[in-house]
């Protein structure tokens, strides 16, 4: 496979030498229906430099792309912007194959890489404001702690105005096109939002601060080069502007109704609630959990103002799929939501109270008492469901 794969030219100095993972459908619990890419970048400076690597199974592909433009042994420096193994998994093999003069990471990255790979190789720390001469070109570094790992940092190629932003501004999108301007805008916005909702949402306040910090650096960004998905060489502010909006999590008139059902009772309640929400002027998305993945629910919640959750009671508990979705959503810490709970039961009916407890723990402002219906809802029960939807819509309209 030595030269089977080709590097893709980004500009006169930089090549993409990553890998396209067309087949991945689960990324630690996040459904990646469109696959992903692991982007690594080669800077052809006096000191040839590799920025990040790829997930371990793709290491030969990365080395092959590098070999299509230079002898991998000519690489002087490797910089790890982020230690998570989709970007560092090939680092030990790359060090072994390339034998670089120096390997760099953030100070936390040095520790994190050591804890991952236990290799006998010195990794040098870089900190905020450091610069690194590559001879004819220069790099600077921006610490982005907790975005989304403690080790995360950006690398900036000063002369060309390229920001290598690791996970930030990326998306899980496998494509033969390497540049965002070659891809449909709606796909970019949806997959960018999905990435933000499922990875960065709990860190929204840090995202806001980071955007302010990068703004104050007063740097020119000609190319935005994340570690997943396409590279931005036009409209480089588009993703940062979306990040600013998504991080603010402003209350909107959209309601997401998430539920599962055993014998269709909770499902018909969900539909009646949905009709009440619509009649009240809300935009409504019903998400039955047999048809919708938890990570797609998170994506819809990103721009929602209300979260309504329904579950039957099974063996004194909420339904397992509902517990799964709520555990996931709770971890993502969405803000500025109102909500309620509903569900059918036969004997004990604990699920609605359990859901309300989780929603309260998520700081979702509860509207009404929620609705429990024994066995199968009759017309009166469905009218109550419609009214609950209308009540939530009325609360949303106050925003
Ligand atoms: Fe793409 Fe946080 O790794």
């Amino acid at each position: 496979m030595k030269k089977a794969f080709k590097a893709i030219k980004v500009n006169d100095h930089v090549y993409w030498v990553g890998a396209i993972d067309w087949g991945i459908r689960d990324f630690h619990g996040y459904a990646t229906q469109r696959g992903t890419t692991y982007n690594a970048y080669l800077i052809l400076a006096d000191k040839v430099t590799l920025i990040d690597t790829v997930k371990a199974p793709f290491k030969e592909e990365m080395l092959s792309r590098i070999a299509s433009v230079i002898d991998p042994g000519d690489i002087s420096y490797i910089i790890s912007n982020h230690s998570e193994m989709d970007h560092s998994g090939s680092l030990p093999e790359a060090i072994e194959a390339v034998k670089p003069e120096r390997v760099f990471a953030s100070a936390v990255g040095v520790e994190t890489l050591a804890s991952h790979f236990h290799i006998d190789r010195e990794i040098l720390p870089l900190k905020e404001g450091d610069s690194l001469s590559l001879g004819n070109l220069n790099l600077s570094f921006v610490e982005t702690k907790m975005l989304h790992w403690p080790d995360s940092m950006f690398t900036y190629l000063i002369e060309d105005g390229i920001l290598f932003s690791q996970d930030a501004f990326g998306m899980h999108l496998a494509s033969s096109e390497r540049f965002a301007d070659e891809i449909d805008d709606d796909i970019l916005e949806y997959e960018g939002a999905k990435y933000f909702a499922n990875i960065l949402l709990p860190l929204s306040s840090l995202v806001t601060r980071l955007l302010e910090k990068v703004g104050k650096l007063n740097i020119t960004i000609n190319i935005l080069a994340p570690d997943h998905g396409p590279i931005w060489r036009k409209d480089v502010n588009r993703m940062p502007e979306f990040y600013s909006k998504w991080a603010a999590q402003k209350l909107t008139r959209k309601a997401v109704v998430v539920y599962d059902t055993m014998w269709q009772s909770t499902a018909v309640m969900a539909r009646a609630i949905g009709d009440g929400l619509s009649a009240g002027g809300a935009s409504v998305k019903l998400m039955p959990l047999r048809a919708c993945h938890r990570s797609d629910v998170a994506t819809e919640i990103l721009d929602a103002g209300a979260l309504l959750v329904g579950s039957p009671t099974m063996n004194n508990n909420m339904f397992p799929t509902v517990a799964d979705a709520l555990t996931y959503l709770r971890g993502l810490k969405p803000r500025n939501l109102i909500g309620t709970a509903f569900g059918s039961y036969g004997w004990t009916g604990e699920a609605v109270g359990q859901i309300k407890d989780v929603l309260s723990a998520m700081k979702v402002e509860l509207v009404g008492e929620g609705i429990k219906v024994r066995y199968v809802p009759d017309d009166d029960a469905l009218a109550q469901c419609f009214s609950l939807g209308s009540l939530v819509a009325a609360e949303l309209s106050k925003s």
Side-chain angles (χ1 to χ4, degrees):
M1 201 195 279
K2 277 197 169 157
K3 289 189 184 173
F5 294 91
K6 305 296 178 203
I8 306 289
K9 188 173 183 177
V10 176
N11 79 345
D12 286 345
H13 298 122
V14 177
Y15 283 80
W16 175 87
V17 290
I20 306 170
D21 191 345
W22 294 94
I24 189 169
R25 291 294 179 270
D26 180 280
F27 201 100
H28 53 52
Y30 167 163
T32 47
Q33 291 97 332
R34 287 190 168 107
T36 194
T37 68
Y38 314 110
N39 298 338
Y41 299 96
L42 189 68
I43 305 175
L44 297 184
D46 293 343
K47 293 285 188 187
V48 177
T49 299
L50 178 65
I51 309 271
D52 284 325
T53 67
V54 297
K55 196 173 174 182
F58 297 91
K59 61 180 182 291
E60 294 298 335
E61 184 173 328
M62 178 189 73
L63 290 170
S64 170
R65 291 190 199 278
I66 293 169
S68 73
V69 284
I70 56 151
D71 179 342
D74 290 341
I75 292 174
S76 298
Y77 300 156
I78 300 179
I79 296 171
S80 170
N81 274 338
H82 179 26
S83 306
E84 195 163 8
M85 283 192 283
D86 46 334
H87 311 296
S88 67
S90 298
L91 183 63
E93 287 80 5
I95 291 172
E96 183 63 31
V98 166
K99 300 188 174 39
E101 288 170 34
R102 294 179 185 174
V103 181
F104 299 95
S106 68
V108 180
V110 170
E111 294 168 16
T112 314
L113 290 170
S115 301
H116 273 80
F117 300 112
H118 316 289
I119 50 174
D120 185 20
R121 167 73 207 216
E122 185 184 26
I123 299 179
L124 300 167
L126 293 163
K127 62 180 187 309
E128 177 101 7
D130 278 354
S131 58
L132 179 67
S133 171
L134 308 183
N136 58 329
L137 299 173
N138 293 278
L139 299 175
S140 63
F141 304 92
V142 182
E143 284 179 359
T144 63
K145 273 187 184 166
M146 291 316 300
L147 288 173
H148 70 120
W149 273 26
D151 60 271
S152 302
M153 69 175 187
F154 290 172
T155 295
Y156 179 63
L157 177 55
I158 295 170
E159 287 78 5
D160 291 358
I162 303 183
L163 187 67
F164 301 99
S165 61
Q166 38 95 21
D167 281 338
F169 313 123
M171 63 189 70
H172 287 314
L173 175 61
S175 59
S176 53
E177 299 80 12
R178 291 278 58 76
F179 297 97
D181 50 274
E182 301 168 324
I183 297 172
D184 184 89
D185 277 348
D186 289 344
I187 293 175
L188 295 172
E189 181 174 350
Y190 180 79
E191 293 300 340
K194 184 167 185 178
Y195 195 88
F196 187 97
N198 285 278
I199 303 287
L200 295 166
L201 189 62
L203 308 161
S204 288
S205 56
L206 294 178
V207 170
T208 303
R209 271 185 259 156
L210 175 70
L211 291 170
E212 288 167 4
K213 182 167 91 169
V214 172
K216 284 181 190 156
L217 292 176
N218 227 2
I219 56 176
T220 300
I221 301 174
N222 297 319
I223 295 175
L224 188 57
D227 272 359
H228 294 291
I231 299 160
W232 297 77
R233 61 186 173 183
K234 297 179 183 170
D235 207 4
V236 293
N237 290 324
R238 183 147 185 246
M239 259 314 130
E241 282 166 3
F242 275 130
Y243 270 42
S244 177
K245 182 180 91 168
W246 294 328
Q249 291 184 59
K250 292 237 169 75
L251 189 68
T252 73
R253 296 191 71 187
K254 173 179 166 183
V256 178
V257 184
V258 183
Y259 62 95
D260 207 337
T261 195
M262 290 172 72
W263 291 104
Q264 297 304 313
S265 290
T266 304
V268 76
M269 292 173 75
R271 295 202 294 275
I273 289 170
D275 269 15
L277 283 159
S278 284
S283 156
V284 185
K285 191 92 179 179
L286 258 68
M287 304 196 81
L289 286 167
R290 304 293 176 96
C292 302
H293 193 268
R294 65 175 93 83
S295 55
D296 292 317
V297 174
T299 309
E300 292 298 337
I301 286 174
L302 182 60
D303 65 350
L307 170 62
L308 299 89
V309 181
S311 175
T313 296
M314 187 171 78
N315 298 330
N316 306 107
N317 275 296
M318 70 176 91
F319 208 65
T321 49
V322 178
D324 172 280
L326 279 177
T327 300
Y328 188 76
L329 294 175
R330 183 176 176 174
L332 292 174
K333 300 184 175 65
R335 290 181 288 145
N336 302 331
L337 289 169
I338 63 173
T340 192
F342 60 94
S344 154
Y345 71 102
W347 303 275
T348 50
E350 289 93 339
V352 167
Q354 291 169 356
I355 293 168
K356 284 165 62 179
D357 288 346
V358 178
L359 292 176
S360 295
M362 291 169 65
K363 300 189 171 56
V364 174
E365 185 187 325
L366 294 176
V367 178
E369 295 300 313
I371 299 180
K372 285 163 61 167
V373 170
R374 192 146 195 228
Y375 290 116
V376 177
D378 59 13
D379 281 348
D380 284 347
L382 292 177
Q384 285 177 41
C385 290
F386 185 94
S387 297
L388 180 62
S390 301
L391 180 64
V392 173
E395 286 300 316
L396 282 178
S397 70
K398 293 177 186 168
S399 60

